[in-house]
Amino acid sequence: MFTDDAGQGGAAPGGPGNSAGSNRRTGGDLVQLITPGGERVSHPEFDPWVQDIGDDVLTSLYEDMVAIRRIDAEATALQRQGELALWPPLLGQEASQIGSARALREDDFVFPSYRDNGVAYVRGVKPADIVKAWRGNALAGWDPYTVNVATQQIIIGAQSLHATGYAMGIQNDGADSAAVAYFGDGATSEGDVNEAMVFAASFQAPVIFFCQNNHWAISEPVMLQSHIQIADRASGFGIPSMRVDGNDVLAVLAATRIALDRARRGGGPTFIEAVTYRMGPHTTADDPTRYRDANELEDWAAKDPIHRLKALLERKGLLTADLETAVAATADAVAKELRSGTITMPEPQPLQIFEHVYSTPHSWLDRQQDHYTRYLASFGDPAGAPSEEGAR
């Protein structure tokens, strides 16, 4: 099935994958296995990769998507209430993150951007740990090696280099795991992403470049930075690519499995463009009404990834009252855990800033710590302990 960037079916003017509003673009069809109305459609190349997905897996995918949307909404509320300094909402991108993350093996390593909290959730990161850095209580919320997820990257696109380097290490170790770099459409205009693809192609590294094209790089529309489909950029590096409906969790799962299989068999890197939409602001400091047409948001809301899967479950007779109750209970539980963990989070102590800077003793850092300790002691508090209200 051919779809345009808004996920609308049919063969668009100018060829598959094009739309009247993007007639300067090229590109093949945008793969879709579940329509916005919840109809399961067939695709000869992608269907074999999800033929094992039974009713129980579909319902668990639905539960994950509902849970991470609830986490996202709760974190947004916590920021508005002054409990978090900032939050990057993922509203509308649940299928891209859950579908791809559920395709991974435990020994695969993820290199996420700041918005990929759904991926972190699937990999086992605790809800409160997801917001530690956004509260300002830690440089990172979790130990990367316990969940095989690197620290979320704030610098746009830098994680693509980290993923490629890690993938080259996998090659040297002779393992069959893979690395995955998550980034948005805006990151593809950064030098880091392009340099990463040069190295990945040259060394045929087992890395997946997973681009969530949510149509807006902060306030810049995707068509301004790329006059072709973003997936087509990868071909210039000799990297095979796929364009999938990023609001279709089944299509995303299939595409990621294909890319992982290629990486494990020594076939090198793959670029996946998951065409989705950021329905919320870039961050809670952003006002999207200043640059985005309300009609555009309305069009994409009709293709909501959770509503789509819910419609499929209804068609299959799986959306029972018991299931909805269980899913709601899971969402309530993770939201409660997130809120409780956030407001009871221990405040960082001043001298903790010197921890985990270097892996071995460092005289220069030791000298700074000594000076800062003596500075704190001048206030009569040698430990630098905060007051009851903390440093906030």
Side-chain angles (χ1 to χ4, degrees):
M1 169 175 280
F2 297 149
T3 60
D4 66 16
D5 281 355
Q8 296 168 333
N18 295 333
S19 66
S22 58
N23 56 14
R24 290 177 294 179
R25 297 179 170 212
T26 61
D29 80 22
L30 188 149
V31 177
Q32 185 180 90
L33 299 181
I34 307 173
T35 69
E39 180 185 357
R40 176 70 167 89
V41 292
S42 180
H43 191 290
E45 295 179 25
F46 278 63
D47 282 347
W49 294 94
V50 289
Q51 62 183 357
D52 63 317
I53 302 300
D55 294 347
D56 56 339
V57 178
L58 284 176
T59 55
S60 67
L61 289 168
Y62 176 67
E63 181 178 82
D64 281 348
M65 291 166 66
V66 171
I68 190 56
R69 178 167 291 188
R70 182 63 182 279
I71 287 175
D72 191 56
E74 193 70 24
T76 300
L78 285 165
Q79 192 282 326
R80 299 306 191 202
Q81 294 161 8
E83 298 292 346
L84 301 179
L86 191 71
W87 178 251
L90 60 84
L91 181 65
Q93 298 181 218
E94 294 88 357
S96 293
Q97 296 191 21
I98 300 303
S100 58
R102 287 286 295 270
L104 301 176
R105 243 173 31 193
E106 186 177 349
D107 60 339
D108 295 325
F109 212 101
V110 174
F111 294 83
S113 77
Y114 49 82
R115 200 182 305 279
D116 299 310
N117 299 300
V119 178
Y121 172 76
V122 169
R123 297 292 280 179
V125 176
K126 296 178 180 179
D129 288 345
I130 291 175
V131 300
K132 271 186 180 177
W134 300 110
R135 186 169 169 85
N137 283 48
L139 296 176
W142 58 83
D143 178 353
Y145 295 104
T146 61
V147 288
N148 278 4
V149 179
T151 299
Q152 289 178 306
Q153 184 57 253
I154 299 296
I155 300 172
I156 305 298
Q159 68 273 22
S160 59
L161 289 169
H162 307 157
T164 299
Y166 189 93
M168 292 167 65
I170 291 173
Q171 281 183 315
N172 291 336
D173 290 343
D176 71 341
S177 54
V180 185
Y182 286 88
F183 48 83
D185 47 288
T188 62
S189 295
E190 293 285 346
D192 285 1
V193 173
N194 291 272
E195 292 162 8
M197 288 198 284
V198 168
F199 273 83
S202 298
F203 292 94
Q204 288 295 282
V207 58
I208 298 170
F209 298 105
F210 193 93
C211 174
Q212 294 173 80
N213 176 3
N214 66 18
H215 284 72
W216 290 97
I218 307 183
S219 59
E220 297 295 345
V222 65
M223 283 192 297
L224 182 64
Q225 63 172 318
S226 182
H227 291 181
I228 62 171
Q229 306 291 3
I230 286 180
D232 290 344
R233 287 181 164 185
S235 64
F237 300 92
I239 297 176
S241 65
M242 291 176 275
R243 289 185 79 237
V244 298
D245 186 334
N247 285 6
D248 176 351
V249 69
L250 209 56
V252 172
L253 178 64
T256 310
R257 282 180 165 183
I258 292 171
L260 287 167
D261 180 69
R262 176 182 290 139
R264 301 194 202 290
R265 291 186 292 104
T270 303
F271 189 101
I272 298 174
E273 178 189 358
V275 181
T276 181
Y277 192 78
R278 167 170 58 80
M279 293 201 289
H282 175 71
T283 69
T284 47
D286 174 42
D287 178 8
T289 63
R290 298 180 62 183
Y291 55 81
R292 190 168 67 187
D293 192 321
N295 291 329
E296 179 179 299
L297 179 59
E298 184 179 349
D299 288 343
W300 277 94
K303 303 165 186 67
D304 184 294
I306 294 180
H307 296 168
R308 180 181 307 203
L309 184 53
K310 182 177 181 179
L312 176 63
L313 295 178
E314 287 176 336
R315 285 173 176 266
K316 294 172 69 68
L318 299 174
L319 196 68
T320 63
D322 287 346
L323 174 63
E324 291 195 271
T325 298
V327 169
T330 297
D332 287 344
V334 295
K336 181 179 180 180
E337 183 181 350
L338 172 61
R339 176 166 288 276
S340 174
T342 299
I343 63 179
T344 62
M345 196 176 293
E347 296 287 356
Q349 303 303 307
L351 291 177
Q352 284 182 270
I353 195 172
F354 297 99
E355 296 178 1
H356 310 299
V357 178
Y358 294 100
S359 61
T360 57
H362 195 284
S363 60
W364 182 58
L365 189 68
D366 291 343
R367 181 172 178 269
Q368 290 186 59
Q369 182 171 349
D370 175 62
H371 285 188
Y372 189 49
T373 300
R374 286 189 280 119
Y375 169 75
L376 292 173
S378 71
F379 295 96
D381 187 2
S387 65
E388 287 186 8
E389 295 299 320
R392 228 173 269 289

